[in-house]
Amino acid sequence: MVKDGTIIKDVDTLDLYEFACSRIDINYSETIGVLRLRLVKALPKDQNSCARCFDACVWNYDWKSAQQIAASLHKNSKDVKFLFQYILTTHVYSLSSECPDDKRGLFGNLAKALADKAFDLRAKTSSEDHHLEHASITEPEALLWVNVRTSHCKLEENLSLFRQHKYGPLTFLENGLDQPFSELMLYLKSHEAWDDLFKIGTEILDTAIRISQEEADAIDKDENVINLRRLTELDAKQGVPAVESPAKKNLAQAIEKARPMRKMKDNFYVTACCNWSLFTGIFEAAKHLPDRKRALKQVRQLFDRLIKAMNRAGTMKHVFQTTRDIVALATLFERCSRDLSVSECSTRVCFLINYIVPVYNNPLCFDRAMMFIRDMNGQEIEAFIELLYDEAAKSTDTFKRLTLLSLKLKIEYFVATLAKPTDDDDHGIGQEDSGSVPCLMAIADNALDLYQNGMGDSHLRRNRLPFESVDPLSDIAVVGTMCLLRLAGLGRNHRSRGMRSPLFNTDQHLFFQAVLWLDSYVLTSPPKYDSHRMLLTKLYILMGCVSRATALWDGFDVKNAINDSLGLLYTDRLSSIAPGLFILGSIRNNPVEPIIHHFTRALRRTLPSSLIDCLDQGTYSSVQPLLQRASKQTLSCTLSLAVVEERRGSRLRSGKIESPIEDHPLVRKLTIQNQLKDSTDYEILPKLDGRNSVPIREIVSYGPLPSNARGHLGLLAERLLDFVCYVQPKEYKPSRAGQLVQLDWEYALATSGHLHENLGIILGIKKPESPEDDAYLEGQQDRAAKSLTGPEASYYVLLWELSRIVNLVLKHITLPLTSESREHIGAGVRGVVENFNNQAANFLTPIYEGIESKVHIFHGFVDLHAMGMQRESILAVKYTVNYLTLALDKIRSADKTRASNEGGWLLAELKKMAAAAAGSENALKSRIKMLKGSLEDLDGWKSRLHDWTFGDYAGMYDENREWKKTMGQRMRSAISEATVDAWSDEVGLSWQDLMKGWAAVKFD
């Protein structure tokens, strides 16, 4: 219909046609969008039909058609909302990928011209002060104008315009248009217009000071207030508590009554002064002015005057006081930061300690302290730690003392991890500072002492901690655990985890002590912080105790949008570690189903519906954030990796997947040109590490974090498996079978070649065509290696080899094999066989019979990811061999002479691959059986876990042998025997559940 120029004039018919095509992968703007645009051009006066077509195009993100329909609606209607919809769609289309590059400037200028016209039309002015009338323009309309101007105009043009009072930030502020005001201030800050920003900020502060002083003067002259203040002072002298003083209560009411009624404009100024972004903007501007010390002094004086005036007027708010304290401290630090004398160091430290100690029980205390500690030198940090310890020692309140000491431990850990890591670093903390390891040992010792004392104080745990907003015992346990993890070597060689699991070369005793320490607190006193439980969840996944990790994860109750930011912390690589979660239960009851459900609902229903609501309600400023959110979710690594995990889990259950990934509406349009981004919020993990150390999020992850390369490799792997698994239905009997076979062959040849090329590009093993390509591919190889575990890299290289073999065979279905092709196919087969041998040798720890070798059994549990990827490799080879066998049958039917010559040679090569896959499969099945059988005696495992956790297994040449031995003894005494037994039972049962799932895995 599109090609024939067909015009459908009935909008209901178009809706039905669109519904019928909803599950087909079509380009909406070139199909349905064209038909809707034709309807609008044919019936421009039918506003209802045109509006429905407009909504449908917006729902499907077809901004090309929506822009033209909006233009028609505006032209044929006097309703002002169509004008703003026209502006919005033109603006959005000019920024979208649909808009041709040579037309972006044209549509951008059109949007700017329309927005300026609408702004001048709606923003009526008076001849006196040229202020906008508040009712004449809505906030979304003004914000749309600001967004269009900042997107399509040059900086000089905008600055010249915004300096005019009619279009400046202060005009928007005076009319109560807070969002446009904030957006313009942010624009000035992002473009470093420091003079303008400082001038506007100081004018706001001066105005707010004047307003507050006028209010205070009026209050001070009120006779009732004067009398009540005298009575309040008399009550205070007589020792009457403030809460019981009737004069105090009446005074507050009298002050409110005496305060003059504010004008709306004045109220907006005073409210803006309490805005954190305004404070930070003025502060940043003052830092960058030529006379920075004078500017910072001026800002500090303005803040002090404002505080004084607001206190006099009785309008001081706690949140504003907190903001003022932070800014005042930051101003002091900045003024002294470039030329530090001993006195200035002492002044900075004293000011910081005086700020931190009173807010010790604020959950943000550590984060606020670190804002300034990161800018302090070593001498200052040392002095601050000493003062903090003195403050804790002086306190008679056990809770306050523990909280201050936990803060001290966090800062000491931060300092210990400041050194830059080296390639040979065993602790992920760096060896430039030879004191790093002793520091971590000392911090762990102090943390364990404090933890033991705190856990022994029943009054603290029962009567104080449940009613406080901070949990020092949890903080202490986390700091001590992170020290043990680094001392155990968990961060060792984090850049090249290609060999074995992350736990293979760690000190397992320190690692078990770290896990026990964290979980002992969870088992006895559930912590307040998510970071404590999330860290423990990640550690349990590392050691293969997935059912225990799942129980902890379920406690977070992750739902809806949080799945995008937190989901991969639990589900990443889970199908290769714990297949039972995908097999034992309903097909829909798997760990990634909530993530898939969230993205499906958000991208196909919630976000399009929200766009329509924004346009209907006139909240135009919300459209662009919604589109950015949709784009972010579409290109989220969480989505692509969740789809891959779901499909791998389905293969674990049934061996094959009936529906191809090309039918998945969320990922079928993704290509390797799309840049996938990791949207995981790692802030939920402890944030204590120094800036040069390996982050804890990398140390506790089962391999490299989510990345663009890994997301695309997973999708390409699924497409290749779909390709080699496809079998034409027996019921399908076309009338022109010969012609269809030719078309199928051409499609298969093109698809296999495309997959082979894309896999090679991402892996960096495509043959370079120029020196520039060679350099790029070398960099790409490095990026791919840093994105994958060793088993993953081996799996994807194997798929690349298989795709090359498939493509070469398909090329010669109608043509004889050349010697060069035979050589390439033979090399590919040898590469596949060698790949299987390397997977077994490099990634799987040998398991032996006998009680003394059960440490190898433990490594068997932590090697499960390698087993999962090897099982995927086995299936890929099986599917490929079956596919190529069918291809040989086609050669045999076409040319029997060739079949006897070339078919025999190819069949022999395929048998080599099949034999390698069968041998690997038998080895994996034997390994699974041995691991499952080793867990039959749980009592024996309990004693073994006790021994691994507290035993003395340090090597005789280990410099820290005595400390490790002592730490094991102290840990045993710090944690009750009942807690240790409960923990051992949890670990053993979790491993049993894990192997039940592996026993149910299908290899066919």
Side-chain angles (χ1 to χ4, degrees):
M1 287 189 290
V2 174
K3 292 181 179 179
D4 296 341
T6 303
I7 300 175
I8 301 175
K9 295 185 178 181
D10 179 41
V11 70
D12 292 326
T13 302
L14 249 182
D15 288 343
L16 286 172
Y17 186 66
E18 179 175 329
F19 175 76
C21 299
S22 60
R23 295 187 177 275
I24 303 174
D25 184 14
I26 59 174
N27 188 325
Y28 190 93
S29 63
E30 296 179 1
T31 52
I32 307 296
V34 173
L35 297 177
R36 290 196 177 277
L37 184 57
R38 288 175 184 171
L39 184 149
V40 171
K41 291 180 177 179
L43 304 172
K45 300 295 184 182
D46 188 349
Q47 186 172 312
N48 179 56
S49 296
C50 293
R52 284 174 62 181
C53 287
F54 175 78
D55 288 348
C57 290
V58 171
W59 184 283
N60 290 279
Y61 307 108
D62 177 12
W63 296 103
K64 178 180 178 181
S65 303
Q67 190 271 340
Q68 296 179 64
I69 295 173
S72 176
L73 284 168
H74 168 57
K75 181 180 179 181
N76 293 282
S77 174
K78 295 183 179 180
D79 193 337
V80 73
K81 80 171 184 178
F82 292 127
L83 168 62
F84 282 95
Q85 288 180 359
Y86 182 27
I87 297 170
L88 176 68
T89 52
T90 305
H91 170 57
V92 172
Y93 178 59
S94 70
L95 300 176
S96 71
S97 58
E98 291 180 90
C99 185
D101 292 337
D102 58 339
K103 297 290 182 67
R104 290 188 188 279
L106 175 65
F107 282 100
N109 290 331
L110 175 60
K112 182 185 71 170
L114 289 169
D116 287 343
K117 179 181 177 182
F119 186 86
D120 289 333
L121 176 68
R122 298 278 280 169
K124 300 175 183 177
T125 61
S126 66
S127 58
E128 296 179 3
D129 55 6
H130 299 287
H131 288 174
L132 295 172
E133 293 182 4
H134 181 62
S136 64
I137 187 167
T138 66
E139 188 167 48
E141 291 170 352
L143 187 56
L144 176 61
W145 175 78
V146 171
N147 289 334
V148 170
R149 294 286 317 183
T150 55
S151 298
H152 301 293
C153 298
K154 294 181 179 180
L155 177 62
E156 295 78 10
E157 182 184 347
N158 277 335
L159 290 180
S160 176
L161 182 69
F162 297 154
R163 284 168 185 156
Q164 300 177 33
H165 191 71
K166 177 182 176 181
Y167 302 102
L170 291 179
T171 299
F172 290 109
L173 175 63
E174 291 168 1
N175 287 276
L177 304 179
D178 183 64
Q179 276 191 299
F181 163 74
S182 300
E183 194 70 22
L184 284 180
M185 296 294 282
L186 183 63
Y187 178 80
L188 294 175
K189 182 178 178 181
S190 62
H191 288 84
E192 300 182 355
W194 303 123
D195 288 328
D196 296 281
L197 192 61
F198 187 76
K199 181 181 177 181
I200 294 169
T202 52
E203 185 174 345
I204 292 172
L205 290 176
D206 278 328
T207 305
I209 291 169
R210 177 184 57 77
I211 294 168
S212 298
Q213 286 176 341
E214 290 174 354
E215 291 180 355
D217 291 341
I219 292 170
D220 290 343
K221 294 176 182 178
D222 187 86
E223 291 294 332
N224 192 26
V225 172
I226 294 171
N227 294 330
L228 286 170
R229 281 177 175 169
R230 290 173 181 169
L231 292 175
T232 302
E233 292 174 1
L234 185 61
D235 285 347
K237 290 179 180 179
Q238 295 175 353
V240 178
V243 293
E244 298 178 6
S245 172
K248 185 76 173 178
K249 297 177 183 177
N250 294 333
L251 177 61
Q253 297 175 359
I255 289 174
E256 288 296 324
K257 188 175 180 180
R259 181 180 297 111
M261 182 68 69
R262 279 184 194 162
K263 298 177 182 178
M264 289 186 66
K265 183 176 73 172
D266 293 346
N267 190 60
F268 297 143
Y269 270 100
V270 176
T271 303
C273 283
C274 301
N275 193 315
W276 169 256
S277 62
L278 177 68
F279 276 176
T280 56
I282 299 173
F283 179 67
E284 283 295 316
K287 281 167 50 178
H288 290 87
L289 292 181
D291 192 352
R292 57 186 295 277
K293 282 200 171 185
R294 183 176 177 277
L296 288 167
K297 182 179 180 180
Q298 182 181 351
V299 170
R300 174 69 183 273
Q301 290 173 344
L302 284 171
F303 286 156
D304 290 342
R305 287 174 57 204
L306 182 60
I307 291 292
K308 183 179 179 181
M310 293 180 78
N311 278 326
R312 283 184 58 213
T315 56
M316 189 65 187
K317 305 295 183 183
H318 174 71
V319 64
F320 179 72
Q321 181 67 53
T322 301
T323 303
R324 179 262 172 196
D325 291 342
I326 295 174
V327 173
L329 193 57
T331 303
L332 173 68
F333 266 68
E334 188 62 31
R335 290 180 64 190
C336 302
S337 63
R338 295 196 179 182
D339 184 20
L340 286 174
S341 63
V342 175
S343 61
E344 286 176 333
C345 286
S346 175
T347 301
R348 298 204 320 175
V349 171
C350 290
F351 268 85
L352 183 58
I353 202 75
N354 290 336
Y355 169 73
I356 290 299
V357 172
V359 295
Y360 75 95
N361 58 347
N362 189 320
L364 299 176
C365 179
F366 174 73
D367 293 333
R368 289 175 179 171
M370 292 309 299
M371 289 169 56
F372 304 101
I373 290 175
R374 287 188 174 92
D375 292 330
M376 295 169 73
N377 57 36
Q379 179 186 356
E380 288 178 300
I381 296 176
E382 184 178 354
F384 179 77
I385 291 174
E386 290 178 1
L387 285 177
L388 198 59
Y389 178 78
D390 293 340
E391 290 290 336
K394 288 190 298 186
S395 178
T396 57
D397 183 350
T398 303
F399 172 77
K400 181 177 180 180
R401 184 171 64 254
L402 266 181
T403 305
L404 290 175
L405 289 175
S406 70
L407 180 61
K408 169 181 170 287
L409 287 176
K410 290 180 183 180
I411 297 170
E412 288 176 336
Y413 176 86
F414 167 78
V415 174
T417 56
L418 274 176
K420 186 176 181 180
T422 64
D423 292 337
D424 299 326
D425 181 11
D426 284 348
H427 306 284
I429 54 177
Q431 297 298 325
E432 290 90 338
D433 181 2
S434 59
S436 296
V437 172
C439 282
L440 290 176
M441 292 164 58
I443 295 168
D445 284 334
N446 293 336
L448 190 57
D449 286 337
L450 289 173
Y451 181 79
Q452 190 171 5
N453 293 335
M455 292 298 289
D457 190 334
S458 58
H459 175 77
L460 172 73
R461 293 174 54 202
R462 294 175 184 174
N463 303 323
R464 191 69 187 272
L465 286 180
F467 308 102
E468 294 288 348
S469 56
V470 295
D471 189 346
L473 290 179
S474 173
D475 284 336
I476 291 167
V478 168
V479 173
T481 293
M482 291 174 69
C483 288
L484 293 181
L485 292 175
R486 290 194 180 274
L487 291 168
L490 189 57
R492 180 186 293 128
N493 298 327
H494 73 289
R495 299 179 184 86
S496 56
R497 286 181 173 174
M499 312 298 283
R500 313 293 184 193
S501 73
L503 293 181
F504 182 73
N505 288 320
T506 60
D507 186 316
Q508 66 188 39
H509 313 291
L510 292 180
F511 177 81
F512 278 126
Q513 289 170 23
V515 176
L516 172 61
W517 193 349
L518 277 183
D519 207 4
S520 66
Y521 192 67
V522 174
L523 293 172
T524 54
S525 306
K528 289 183 171 67
Y529 304 136
D530 290 338
S531 58
H532 186 126
R533 291 182 292 130
M534 184 58 75
L535 178 60
L536 186 57
T537 301
K538 297 293 290 182
L539 293 177
Y540 271 128
I541 291 175
L542 273 183
M543 62 186 287
C545 294
V546 179
S547 60
R548 177 60 179 149
T550 302
L552 290 166
W553 172 258
D554 290 342
F556 289 100
D557 195 25
V558 174
K559 293 179 180 177
N560 302 327
I562 305 177
N563 277 297
D564 186 18
S565 57
L566 298 183
L568 287 184
L569 289 172
Y570 170 63
T571 62
D572 196 21
R573 299 186 173 96
L574 201 58
S575 64
S576 62
I577 300 170
L581 296 175
F582 296 83
I583 299 175
L584 306 176
S586 169
I587 192 170
R588 287 292 179 188
N589 185 23
N590 65 72
V592 297
E593 194 277 333
I595 300 177
I596 303 294
H597 176 72
H598 157 67
F599 278 102
T600 302
R601 183 176 59 183
L603 292 172
R604 295 178 64 81
R605 187 168 67 245
T606 306
L607 287 173
S609 176
S610 299
L611 283 173
I612 300 299
D613 291 341
C614 288
L615 292 170
D616 289 342
Q617 297 166 12
T619 54
Y620 309 110
S621 56
S622 301
V623 170
Q624 201 67 27
L626 283 172
L627 292 175
Q628 292 170 355
R629 182 179 167 192
S631 176
K632 179 183 175 183
Q633 291 193 343
T634 301
L635 301 177
S636 171
C637 285
T638 305
L639 171 59
S640 58
L641 293 178
V643 170
V644 171
E645 288 293 309
E646 183 185 47
R647 290 175 62 83
R648 287 178 180 171
S650 298
R651 277 196 297 275
L652 291 166
R653 175 189 291 271
S654 59
K656 285 187 179 181
I657 303 175
E658 295 300 326
S659 59
I661 197 170
E662 294 301 329
D663 287 347
H664 202 298
L666 300 182
V667 297
R668 64 188 175 195
K669 293 185 178 181
L670 290 177
T671 66
I672 62 172
Q673 282 72 40
N674 297 119
Q675 189 70 25
L676 305 180
K677 294 184 179 180
D678 182 12
S679 55
T680 304
D681 180 13
Y682 297 104
E683 294 296 305
I684 196 172
L685 289 167
K687 307 182 292 292
L688 308 178
D689 301 291
R691 56 181 169 269
N692 291 322
S693 64
V694 182
I696 195 68
R697 63 176 179 266
E698 294 183 21
I699 289 177
V700 300
S701 293
Y702 209 118
L705 301 177
S707 65
N708 175 64
R710 181 149 67 94
H712 280 303
L713 285 171
L715 295 176
L716 288 172
E718 295 304 313
R719 290 187 171 102
L720 179 61
L721 292 175
D722 285 340
F723 174 73
V724 295
C725 286
Y726 176 75
V727 177
Q728 198 172 78
K730 295 180 180 179
E731 298 81 9
Y732 182 63
K733 296 179 180 180
S735 57
R736 298 181 179 180
Q739 183 180 359
L740 187 63
V741 168
Q742 178 67 19
L743 292 174
D744 282 347
W745 171 75
E746 291 175 357
Y747 170 78
L749 184 63
T751 302
S752 60
H754 180 70
L755 291 171
H756 175 66
E757 180 182 11
N758 285 344
L759 284 168
I761 289 173
I762 297 180
L763 290 171
I765 52 180
K766 177 187 173 185
K767 183 178 179 182
E769 299 176 359
S770 67
E772 291 77 12
D773 290 343
D774 196 10
Y776 168 77
L777 291 173
E778 184 177 348
Q780 184 62 25
Q781 286 177 0
D782 185 56
R783 286 190 290 272
K786 290 181 179 179
S787 301
L788 306 171
T789 62
E792 285 171 340
S794 182
Y795 169 63
Y796 292 125
V797 169
L798 180 137
L799 292 182
W800 179 79
E801 293 279 13
L802 292 177
S803 63
R804 180 171 66 163
I805 294 171
V806 169
N807 188 252
L808 287 171
V809 172
L810 290 175
K811 281 181 180 178
H812 294 86
I813 284 183
T814 59
L815 296 173
L817 279 170
T818 64
S819 59
E820 184 181 0
S821 299
R822 289 193 180 209
E823 183 179 342
H824 286 316
I825 292 173
V829 171
R830 289 191 297 273
V832 170
V833 174
E834 184 180 353
N835 191 299
F836 276 119
N837 295 333
N838 290 338
Q839 284 192 41
N842 295 338
F843 310 131
L844 296 177
T845 304
I847 299 177
Y848 309 101
E849 298 287 352
I851 188 68
E852 296 302 325
S853 66
K854 283 197 174 179
V855 66
H856 298 288
I857 296 291
F858 166 67
H859 286 297
F861 295 135
V862 300
D863 279 344
L864 294 175
H865 167 66
M867 292 171 55
M869 299 315 299
Q870 190 168 358
R871 184 255 180 198
E872 286 291 303
S873 300
I874 293 168
L875 286 182
V877 171
K878 284 185 173 182
Y879 295 154
T880 304
V881 169
N882 289 340
Y883 180 83
L884 292 179
T885 301
L886 292 175
L888 289 177
D889 290 340
K890 292 180 181 179
I891 295 178
R892 189 176 294 112
S893 63
D895 189 338
K896 294 183 179 180
T897 304
R898 284 186 60 209
S900 61
N901 296 328
E902 298 176 1
W905 179 82
L906 280 172
L907 193 58
E909 295 297 313
L910 295 182
K911 286 181 178 179
K912 292 178 184 177
M913 290 200 301
S920 183
E921 177 182 340
N922 293 333
L924 275 187
K925 288 180 177 178
S926 175
R927 187 181 181 88
I928 292 169
K929 183 178 180 181
M930 189 177 297
L931 286 171
K932 189 172 185 293
S934 68
L935 291 167
E936 293 177 354
D937 181 14
L938 277 184
D939 290 334
W941 269 103
K942 182 185 294 187
S943 62
R944 175 60 60 178
L945 277 171
H946 282 223
D947 187 41
W948 285 350
T949 306
F950 305 118
D952 178 18
Y953 285 93
M956 62 183 299
Y957 298 109
D958 191 337
E959 296 178 358
N960 304 316
R961 180 176 181 178
E962 286 301 319
W963 179 84
K964 292 179 179 179
K965 179 179 179 181
T966 304
M967 175 56 74
Q969 295 171 349
R970 295 177 60 220
M971 187 70 70
R972 183 187 286 271
S973 62
I975 300 174
S976 68
E977 191 69 25
T979 302
V980 176
D981 287 342
W983 173 75
S984 301
D985 289 338
E986 287 281 359
V987 172
L989 291 171
S990 187
W991 279 338
Q992 275 191 337
D993 291 341
L994 184 72
M995 296 318 300
K996 286 179 183 176
W998 271 99
V1001 169
K1002 290 189 175 183
F1003 285 83
D1004 300 324

